Amino acid sequence: MKILTAPRMERCIGCHSCSLACARLVHKMLSWDMAGIRIASSGGLSTGFEARTCLACLPAPCAAACPTGAYAQRKGGGVIVRKNLCIRCGKCADACPVDAVFLAPDGEPFVCIHCGRCVVYCPHDCLELTDVGTEGAEESNARESAS
Amino acid sequence: MTGETREQFKVLVVDLPAGRGAITSLEGRDSLAGGSGLTAMLFDRYGLPDRPWDDPEQPLIFAIGPLTGYFPLMSKTVCAFKSPYHDQYAESHAGGRSALSLRFAGFDALVIRGKALAPSCLSVGSRHLELKDVHFLWGMDLLRTGKMLRRMYEGSGHRSILRIGPAGENGSAMACINVDTYRHFGRLGCGAVMGAKNLKGIVILGDGSSPLPEGKAYPKLFTEVYRKMTDTDMMEKYHNFGTPINMAILNGISALPIRNLQKTSDPGIEGITGETFARDTLLRNAACAGCPVGCVHLGFVRERFMEENRYLYRQVSYDHEPIFAAGAMLHVTNAFSVLTLLDTVEREGLDIMSAGVALAWATEALEKGIVTTRETIVPLKFGDETAYREGFHHLGAASNDFYRLLAQGTMKAAEHYGGADFACVLGQEMAGYATGEVFFVSQALGLRHSHLDAGGYSYDQKDKEPDVDGAVRFLVQDEQARVLLTSMVSCLFARGVYGDQVLSDCLRSLGYLNLADGLGDVSRNVRKLRWRTRLRTGFDPRTVSIPKRFLEVETWRGRIDSAYLNALKDAYAGAILALGEEDA
Ligand code: SF4
Ligand code: SF4
Ligand code: SF4
């Protein structure tokens, strides 16, 4: 089981190539928000950047909170997304402890599905698709957190 | 993507006194593309050629292009206004997050009219328009203003914060608009236009989204263009040392303006080359949003503020032009001193090129006894960092009559006090290239009075025999190629990648079929419209003069050929008039 990690964010130049790639390739949108990874300055540009993305929690609070099963637990952490089941109640976003689920103005939730398509677009190799086996959770402390 | 919406420009026109805005849809996409073409069209519509730059009704215009956000390095915004420097139509370009923020806010352009009733900050987004009273920020330096605005508005990372410093509030013709801390709409005084509108800041929230074309063609083309930007060595120059690589190169061929252009080469430049900056001062790199190249180089200044080894530090962005203006031109040859001066100029909200060249002139004027320390307040001296720190502060604050006049342009001060012969002004304070006749004429007459109007600096370096017709032909053609890019609005560093064919393919992949087929006409239209707009606001290229100092310059090719320079100037002036006078 692979998950997206952001272990080298100190190198980030704030180009947004990763989030634009996710929006373009996964969601077919031109957007800063409709993406599984979002880049923010960590307190003004002089302090560098942070990536907001799914930490692949196991168990995932968003999946537990989802009343329709649109967000379901993914083996090894994170969620499987079934958009056709989603009623746009926003409970997943509320439940996410690290604000990784973006709610579009119409209520549609966006979260990282750990596909790795963004990784190759990062010019500074900040991101990585990491194999976590199926246990996953034990390793989560070793992973660079999203902030 | 359907045809109708694509072909129209969506423009947000804000009425500051009312604190309201209106969306206007305008035709013209197929003939003008966007960016430079769009701003000229909007100035035609909203500008008042016969009224002064600070008339509250003059528009302040920001525009992006059809490919902004959709392709890499389409990362710039064009700002257009009537300039306090010469009271004529002007353009300045900047990146940061401004372009993508405008794209995601959903507008091709933002037009700001009128004067706010109190010092204010305007914020716009895809579902948002608000004018906030920020009188408490008036008078605050530019960096602190940025910090306050950052705290006052939401959307970190997905927004752009534009702001001015004291220079903009004072009506300085050298006032810049800072974009997201490290980028600037620098030239020709647009900061003062914001100040005259009682506008301390503009926040653009990039909070909207739009669907992409169906199918594989667009993402495939994106990846091809992206790979060219990142995998080939095409962008190595900007990525590695950045533009400061030019310092040593120009110094090596005796083409770097030093000590108010009294020299063009000096061994001391070793202390401020791109290589020195990278080795000793470079902290990290940054990028404009949508640009994987990341040419922004951030150095640091470190300051001891207490005896007991107490230090503070700040990050400062550097480039060739700032290093030339705060370093070579003032003969400050220590990299950290240059960064300290850049930091000082930044706080005031001044354009560094204009400010540096202005103080270089003031220093020589003081040496020659044309002015005294009664005027300059501090004893400005080449190489003296401390004196220049104070000097820049006085220039930003317009501390006395001398600095107030100097802030209106070096030539304005020279006309009053004398010393016009050695004022390094080519339309505005010169850029950091003393390559020869073609560049001097190109900057003096070019629409932006910028080294980027056309590649005159590179034409000079090709070591050709004087050829008036050939050089004019080159300037006219090169300008046309560049206005196509500034209508898209691509970073000009990407000009090696964005040839006509690639641009046309990109446009086609997004459904801009007519535009993709008509690029030749578009670039001609835009060039013509820009010149017409400029001439209409009073520009007469025949009256532009090139100060004596430029004729005294010695480059690797020897002394400037003044007969060639004058012939070139007259011929280029004629060409510009012809371009602007054709029927549009
Ligand atoms: S918004 Fe959709 S995915 Fe999120 S909790 Fe509600 S139903 Fe589940
Ligand atoms: S791993 Fe896939 S879903 Fe997650 S941010 Fe990257 S591209 Fe988007
Ligand atoms: S692609 Fe890499 S460098 Fe660019 S914003 Fe994303 S993490 Fe940062």
Side-chain angles (χ1 to χ4, degrees), chain A residues 3-5 18-19 21-23 25-27 34-38 52-54 111-119 127 129:
Chain A
I3 64 164
L4 175 73
T5 59
C18 52
S19 51
C22 178
L25 300 171
V26 180
H27 305 290
M34 294 179 180
I37 184 166
R38 284 167 289 143
R52 199 164 291 177
T53 188
C54 169
V111 76
C112 173
I113 54 168
H114 302 281
C115 67
R117 272 181 271 191
C118 54
V119 174
L127 311 176
L129 205 58

Side-chain angles (χ1 to χ4, degrees), chain A residues 9 11-18 39 121-124 126-127:
Chain A
M9 285 306 288
R11 298 178 175 192
C12 175
I13 53 173
C15 67
H16 297 259
S17 298
C18 52
I39 301 296
Y121 288 90
C122 175
H124 277 201
C126 302
L127 311 176

